[in-house]
Amino acid sequence: MRANYRMQRLYLPDDLSAGAEIETTREQAHYLAHVLRMREGSELLVFNGRHGEWLAEIAGVAKKSARLAVRTLTRPQTPQPDLLYCFAPLKQGRLDYLVQKAVEMGAGILQPVITQHTQVPRIGLERIEANIIEAAEQCGIISIPIVREPLKLERMLEIWEEGRRLVYCDEDAPGNNPLPALSALAGRKLALLVGPEGGFSEAERAMLRALPFVVPVPLGPRILRADTAAVAALALIQASAGDWRA
Ligand code: SAH
């Protein structure tokens, strides 16, 4: 079932059920009243990532919080998408963009990976989570992608999950066309790995290519920025082996 694109969606941490009365945070009250210009009686969709999506009505708006009356279930809770997105973090502005695009493109788990050329030592998980929520409200999903603690590339590969294929965007892969390799993965548990601005090191490339679960793919004849590569690769994966095929 597609999301209702006409109504505003708001993420709430609270439990949701018919008749529930929920007090929003101060920020959410400001957003509803002053950004969305909502008043008493205005309707919106609310979701918490656990209980599905509900139609709600604004019962009252004050400075410190808005009161929402939860009415009816509009879409039942959906399972967590299984697509694992492994990314070398980028500088803050680009990272915000990267996280939001990964959510819109259907990643279910975000795994920051520290590689040799990663330029961002500290990763703000709270900021990543805020970007996940913002993207989830915008793109109509009901389950909230999770972000894991950062891992070094070697460590991530050491503890790799049995049965999951890792699509590795390799700018040194032969040829330009990723489709032959990707279409062989339909129905498999998948992950995607995109490198940092500086690319992977020779040692990292050799390590990745030597692993049986790694599927190196080219992304055309041009060198893409990491955030471009991420969106392009996610689109290819969803269209050839993911939820764009449905
Ligand atoms: N090493 C490159 C930059 C890497 S771009 C340079 O010469 O500066 C960042 C990441 O995007 C890469 O690590 C790779 O994962 C992906 N990427 C970019 N262009 C690609 C291509 N044409 N094919 C496959 N992956 C690509």
Side-chain angles (χ1 to χ4, degrees):
M1 221 190 311
R2 271 181 179 272
N4 173 327
Y5 291 100
R6 281 165 297 285
M7 293 187 75
Q8 290 293 336
R9 299 180 76 243
L10 185 71
Y11 166 79
L12 296 169
D14 313 69
D15 288 345
L16 297 173
S17 60
E21 283 257 334
I22 292 168
E23 299 278 328
T24 71
T25 62
R26 174 184 292 273
E27 295 75 24
Q28 286 179 323
H30 180 270
Y31 175 67
L32 291 169
H34 302 291
V35 176
L36 301 182
R37 299 199 176 295
M38 286 191 160
R39 299 279 171 273
E40 260 184 61
S42 299
E43 291 185 330
L44 71 162
L45 296 170
V46 296
F47 64 106
N48 60 12
R50 305 187 301 281
H51 301 142
E53 177 191 75
W54 292 74
L55 178 68
E57 189 181 325
I58 296 197
V61 188
K63 199 162 173 48
K64 65 176 178 37
S65 85
R67 214 157 17 87
L68 305 182
V70 180
R71 297 268 183 267
T72 50
L73 182 73
T74 49
R75 285 190 291 160
Q77 185 56 41
T78 52
Q80 182 76 29
D82 180 53
L83 180 54
L84 169 61
Y85 172 55
C86 309
F87 62 101
L90 307 174
K91 293 188 188 68
Q92 204 51 65
R94 283 196 169 281
L95 183 59
D96 294 345
Y97 172 89
L98 195 67
V99 167
Q100 298 220 7
K101 299 313 134 191
V103 173
E104 292 168 56
M105 298 302 283
I109 305 126
L110 276 61
Q111 173 63 68
V113 184
I114 310 302
T115 69
Q116 217 162 318
H117 298 153
T118 300
Q119 287 142 351
V120 177
R122 213 190 61 74
I123 296 157
L125 290 183
E126 305 70 38
R127 182 159 172 156
I128 290 180
E129 282 161 354
N131 277 300
I132 288 172
I133 294 293
E134 194 177 322
E137 289 174 335
Q138 175 270 330
C139 73
I141 56 176
I142 291 178
S143 56
I144 313 285
I146 54 173
V147 56
R148 288 188 178 148
E149 285 294 324
L151 283 174
K152 282 195 178 311
L153 178 62
E154 295 76 0
R155 179 69 184 137
M156 180 182 82
L157 297 173
E158 260 166 38
I159 58 175
W160 193 257
E161 178 192 352
E162 186 59 40
R164 188 177 292 273
R165 285 277 186 276
L166 175 56
V167 174
Y168 153 48
C169 295
D170 177 2
E171 64 264 38
D172 287 344
N176 294 319
N177 185 350
L179 285 180
L182 290 176
S183 41
L185 300 176
R188 307 286 314 236
K189 288 169 81 74
L190 293 179
L192 171 66
L193 174 62
V194 178
E197 276 105 345
F200 291 105
S201 70
E202 275 317 309
E204 286 169 337
R205 284 203 185 91
M207 173 175 56
L208 283 159
R209 292 177 152 282
L211 292 166
F213 58 82
V214 168
V215 181
V217 296
L219 295 177
R222 289 169 291 282
I223 292 290
L224 310 176
R225 272 191 176 279
D227 39 348
T228 317
V231 178
L234 285 164
L236 285 162
I237 287 173
Q238 293 294 28
S240 60
D243 69 8
W244 286 11
R245 284 177 302 159

